[in-house]
Amino acid sequence: MTITKGTIVRTILLVIVLINIILKNTGNPIIQVDEGTVGSLVETIVEIICIAVAWWKNNSFTQNAIKADEFMRKLNDTELKK
């Protein structure tokens, strides 16, 4: 299951609109956000998510690490067949 960029953008915009509604109804100044600010915020969030995924995911670059991954896959396949 993958969350699309559109879902992320719509969710962020929904939160901004809800905050605006609450602020307007309480008599506080309304958040003034332009498209550049929203785009920058979404871009930052996507970058942070990419950094987190890259950090969390096991990325094997060396020959020994690649062989170890293959060995682990074989072990897992053997366990699944039992």
Side-chain angles (χ1 to χ4, degrees), residues 62-78:
T62 65
Q63 207 53 27
N64 286 339
I66 294 169
K67 287 178 184 177
D69 286 344
E70 182 60 32
F71 180 71
M72 183 180 65
R73 274 192 287 278
K74 288 179 183 177
L75 285 176
N76 287 337
D77 288 344
T78 304

Side-chain angles (χ1 to χ4, degrees), residues 11-43:
T11 303
I12 291 170
L13 293 175
L14 174 65
V15 169
I16 291 170
V17 168
L18 289 172
I19 291 171
N20 264 338
I21 290 170
I22 292 168
L23 289 174
K24 186 169 62 172
N25 288 333
T26 59
N28 294 309
I30 298 174
I31 300 172
Q32 295 181 3
V33 180
D34 61 0
E35 290 178 19
T37 304
V38 173
S40 178
L41 178 63
V42 170
E43 183 179 331

